[in-house]
Amino acid sequence: MAIGVFDSGVGGLTVHHRLVERFPDADFVYLADQANAPYGGRPGEEIVELTRAGCIRLFEEGCDVVVLACNTAASVALRRLQQTWLPGYRRELGRPVNVLGIVVPTIEAATGLPWEHEAERRGEKIEKLDVLGIFSTPATASSRVYEIEIDKRRQDVAVFSEPCPELARMIETGASRDELAAVIQGHVKALTTRIGRPPDRAILGCTHYEITADLFQAALPPGTPLIRQPEATADALARYMERHPEFRPGTTGQRRFLTTGKPGAQHSLVETFWGGPLSFEPA
């Protein structure tokens, strides 16, 4: 058995890297849907179907749990798959499987509250707002998942999303650091202008962006905290696996990397982030 990690491309490797550190003995299968990346500009129904196909592929590889290391897939497709597809698919497989996402752990980290918590709506005046900026794909921004779910839990946090239409594609295709820095600076400036001041904190709401976290940090005011999705996801998965011993992560430390796109070595930006050469097999 193994843990599956799914993303439209290489961005999910940021989460995968942290999960491998947290579960060094577990077996992992990573699947990048590079033939269809990026997901951020696709219609919702396409995102649901592509995400379901990726999950099926990972379950066929023996994974018990699949982590959607893609904000777009987790924001748009996860709830739908959990409610309308997974129950019947489990019966078809005859074994327990589940699909988890990275949005819930991120919201827990942003609010400091468990997912189950919902604040009582008191209508009281908020003396000081914590302004939280979200940099994400257009699909994640359109879903408003961060605005809706954070507002349910914290009335003192104001959420502002900044869609970054081309950034994931640029990272996926290995754009230069100078090109990426210019685009990121533009998005930080746009969000700051819209809010009227810089955000107090920020979420990199696309796992591709974690590869360029230092460029976001440089574009934001010094000391602006970034909520890191890889760490939040690893913490949440560790708690989940403790509660659900029926899901077996494997014990041989095997690592496999699959792609629906062109197999082989990844570009230098990914190698630099990963810490060494990385090659994908055909899915």
Side-chain angles (χ1 to χ4, degrees):
M1 297 295 104
I3 297 172
V5 182
F6 176 76
D7 185 37
S8 62
V10 297
L13 290 169
T14 58
V15 172
H16 181 58
H17 192 271
R18 189 69 188 93
L19 293 179
V20 167
E21 292 177 338
R22 181 62 65 89
F23 301 93
D25 297 326
D27 300 328
F28 283 91
V29 183
Y30 183 91
L31 172 60
D33 188 16
Q34 291 177 303
N36 297 296
Y39 281 8
R42 291 183 175 275
E45 285 302 316
E46 281 189 21
I47 295 169
V48 171
E49 289 308 310
L50 290 170
T51 303
R52 175 163 58 185
C55 291
I56 290 172
R57 183 72 181 88
L58 286 166
F59 289 138
E60 288 174 346
E61 289 293 326
C63 298
D64 277 353
V65 173
V66 171
V67 177
L68 299 184
C70 171
N71 280 268
T72 301
S75 300
V76 176
L78 179 57
R79 182 171 295 182
R80 173 104 160 261
L81 295 180
Q82 287 175 332
Q83 292 177 348
T84 66
W85 171 66
L86 265 178
Y89 188 72
R90 289 188 188 107
R91 290 192 294 271
E92 180 183 327
L93 279 184
R95 63 183 175 93
V97 294
N98 204 3
V99 182
L100 308 174
I102 58 175
V103 171
V104 169
T106 306
I107 289 171
E108 290 180 329
T111 61
L113 296 167
W115 180 253
E116 297 77 15
H117 178 89
E118 290 196 15
E120 184 180 348
R121 312 303 293 187
R122 296 176 180 270
E124 297 174 353
K125 182 180 178 181
I126 306 299
E127 295 295 332
K128 187 178 188 318
L129 280 175
D130 176 14
V131 177
L132 178 62
I134 314 283
F135 298 96
S136 69
T137 66
T140 298
S142 296
S143 76
R144 293 183 55 81
V145 64
Y146 285 105
E147 288 89 335
I148 292 167
E149 297 298 341
I150 290 174
D151 183 65
K152 286 180 184 178
R153 294 159 177 81
R154 292 277 300 272
Q155 293 178 266
D156 61 338
V157 178
V159 180
F160 294 86
S161 288
E162 171 66 17
C164 309
E166 294 299 316
L167 187 54
R169 181 193 60 77
M170 292 175 66
I171 295 169
E172 187 74 25
T173 55
S176 73
R177 295 265 299 170
D178 288 344
E179 291 174 305
L180 293 168
V183 170
I184 288 168
Q185 288 166 6
H187 286 303
V188 170
K189 183 178 179 180
L191 181 66
T192 299
T193 300
R194 187 149 47 85
I195 297 172
R197 67 176 181 86
D200 298 310
R201 299 181 293 154
I203 291 174
L204 304 185
C206 170
T207 50
H208 281 80
Y209 303 171
E210 183 71 23
I211 296 174
T212 58
D214 62 320
L215 299 180
F216 276 96
Q217 202 77 73
L220 290 160
T224 303
L226 292 182
I227 294 168
R228 313 303 285 262
Q229 291 193 304
E231 285 78 6
T233 304
D235 291 343
L237 184 60
R239 295 192 296 268
Y240 182 84
M241 298 299 278
E242 285 179 5
R243 296 195 306 269
H244 294 277
E246 68 272 23
F247 296 118
R248 295 167 290 168
T251 59
T252 67
Q254 185 183 41
R255 316 279 181 254
R256 295 184 62 206
F257 300 88
L258 310 178
T259 181
T260 60
K262 183 180 178 182
Q266 293 301 298
H267 56 69
S268 60
L269 185 64
V270 172
E271 286 191 7
T272 301
F273 158 75
W274 189 258
L278 189 62
S279 185
F280 284 1
E281 308 169 32

